[in-house]
Amino acid sequence: MSDPLTHRTLSGPLTPRAARLAAELEAWDRRTITLMELWPLFARADPASATRSTRRTDLAATIAALADAGMVVVSKQFDRTAVPPLPAKLTLPAVAVTVTAAALAKAVPWRPELAWAASARLTVGQVGVLQTVNGWLRDRGRDTDVLPLRERSLELFGYEKRLDALICTSLFGPDRLTLPMLRTFRARPPLPVRRVGDGPILLVVENADTFDSLRRRLTATPTAVGHIAWGAGAAFEASVLGIDELDGVHDVAYFGDLDADGLRIPASAAATAAIEGLPAIRPARGLYRLLFEHGITQPGQAPLPEPRAAELAAWLGEHAAAARRLLASAVRIPQESVNAALLVDTVEIWSADL
């Protein structure tokens, strides 16, 4: 017998508040959620409730609406420490309630920009997201303000990182949601840079401690490096665009960890730099040579299949073969192996081949 939840239909559309809580529950990583765990999700789904005296009543009504729609099953145990009583736990159905989502989508008077939602294959939570956008387009459609992504996300959903997650879903794409439709953009993260000389090279360093050690050494020892930047891990994939704000930079060398992320980050930044006409992002050869020679291997890196290991290692050029073997062997080498003392002892070697 099929699960009866898959055949539930709605007598009317869910309220925007209930649909937003449904979206939060769809992202929950377990089949059950306690009342204590539910409160923060409700606060994100309905930020205005935090200051209302009816907050508990609002949650009770929202839970009832989701239960009626087949989105949740309430427990037999209730928290009766206040009025109204609330279920101590909710259980989420194992099967998506697609019929309910379709009925909900068809019941919404969509704006022309979102007309596709009426026939799209969506979850209840996604319909709730689109309902929020629909209301915003209706009420703010003539506004010309453009806000950075997280500011717009906070305005729309009461949670600044909601759009970060949604951009990677099927809700975004051609003829669906777009950043221009929401009058928003990804703000360019800053690239923290220090001037250390007059040379044409910008040296980008993945981690903060190694950045500090190299900054102090390059300040004390003149080299071809004119600027040193802290890549801040994966942030460099976006902050690479800040290179065009630096005067006198004609060459960019990168130094990071020898692991999957440590090689993916500069390769991704290099692709962006090529598209934007910036200087190529290349390996800091002398520093990587030191890392291979003196590096302390650590476990914790999942072994990569040979094709993926070769793809990531290719960016390292002359060190690609050694990096490929490392990536395939389930170990990594942190760049902190090239510490301040080693940099002092070998400065003439690594600085001559940046």
Side-chain angles (χ1 to χ4, degrees):
M1 178 180 296
S2 60
D3 188 332
L5 289 176
T6 61
H7 298 288
R8 291 292 188 94
T9 58
L10 291 174
S11 57
L14 286 177
T15 64
R17 177 194 298 150
R20 289 194 299 270
L21 183 56
E24 295 290 343
L25 290 171
E26 284 176 2
W28 190 249
D29 59 2
R30 299 198 311 274
R31 287 281 312 281
T32 60
I33 181 169
T34 66
L35 180 59
M36 184 177 296
E37 293 168 328
L38 184 63
W39 277 116
L41 270 63
F42 184 60
R44 288 211 297 262
D46 190 31
S49 68
T51 58
R52 288 197 301 258
S53 60
T54 59
R55 181 171 178 242
R56 191 175 178 95
T57 301
D58 292 341
L59 178 56
T62 304
I63 292 173
L66 294 179
D68 185 59
M71 288 293 297
V72 300
V73 177
V74 301
S75 64
K76 295 180 179 179
Q77 292 76 38
F78 275 73
D79 172 22
R80 302 182 184 278
T81 58
V83 177
L86 294 173
K89 183 174 66 175
L90 301 180
T91 301
L92 311 181
V95 182
V97 195
T98 55
V99 175
T100 298
L104 174 58
K106 290 177 181 177
V108 177
W110 296 109
R111 294 273 304 175
E113 303 94 320
L114 301 178
W116 53 270
S119 57
R121 185 177 178 84
L122 301 168
T123 66
V124 170
Q126 288 177 321
V127 176
V129 167
L130 293 175
Q131 280 185 273
T132 298
V133 175
N134 198 57
W136 180 82
L137 288 170
R138 179 195 63 220
D139 300 335
R140 303 285 305 281
R142 296 182 182 276
D143 290 358
T144 58
D145 63 306
V146 177
L147 300 181
L149 187 72
R150 292 193 174 183
E151 292 181 8
R152 181 67 80 205
S153 182
L154 185 62
E155 177 193 11
L156 279 170
F157 303 107
Y159 180 46
E160 75 279 7
K161 297 181 182 179
R162 188 76 175 111
L163 278 176
D164 285 296
L166 291 173
I167 283 175
C168 302
T169 72
S170 60
L171 290 181
F172 274 77
D175 300 321
R176 293 207 164 192
L177 292 182
T178 63
L179 297 187
M181 180 191 298
L182 300 178
R183 292 194 294 282
T184 188
F185 62 95
R186 283 189 179 277
R188 176 191 296 183
L191 181 64
V193 179
R194 296 291 183 271
R195 186 106 195 186
V196 292
D198 299 320
I201 297 176
L202 166 67
L203 175 61
V204 182
V205 184
E206 180 177 352
N207 300 326
D209 284 20
T210 308
F211 165 84
D212 185 74
S213 294
L214 279 163
R215 179 189 59 79
R216 287 187 281 113
R217 181 45 38 204
L218 290 168
T219 300
T221 306
T223 67
V225 177
H227 298 81
I228 183 170
W230 174 40
F236 184 57
E237 294 177 73
S239 64
V240 62
L241 297 173
I243 291 174
D244 65 359
E245 300 174 0
L246 300 176
D247 294 330
V249 171
H250 305 293
D251 186 12
V252 182
Y254 184 92
F255 179 48
D257 296 326
L258 285 170
D259 57 22
D261 283 342
L263 295 176
R264 179 190 55 77
I265 291 165
S268 173
T272 299
I275 292 171
E276 298 296 329
L278 299 171
I281 312 299
R282 62 168 180 81
R285 294 176 294 267
L287 290 170
Y288 277 110
R289 189 174 299 114
L290 276 184
L291 191 54
F292 276 110
E293 292 174 356
H294 299 272
I296 301 171
T297 59
Q298 295 182 341
Q301 172 80 54
L304 293 184
E306 178 64 25
R308 179 58 174 160
E311 178 185 358
L312 289 175
W315 176 79
L316 266 181
E318 65 185 82
H319 298 299
R324 186 177 68 250
R325 290 191 295 270
L326 188 78
L327 293 175
S329 62
V331 295
R332 61 185 296 272
I333 302 178
Q335 70 172 161
E336 288 83 358
S337 296
V338 178
N339 61 32
L342 181 61
L343 288 171
V344 171
D345 293 340
T346 60
V347 61
E348 294 182 359
I349 299 173
W350 59 263
S351 64
D353 190 24
L354 276 173

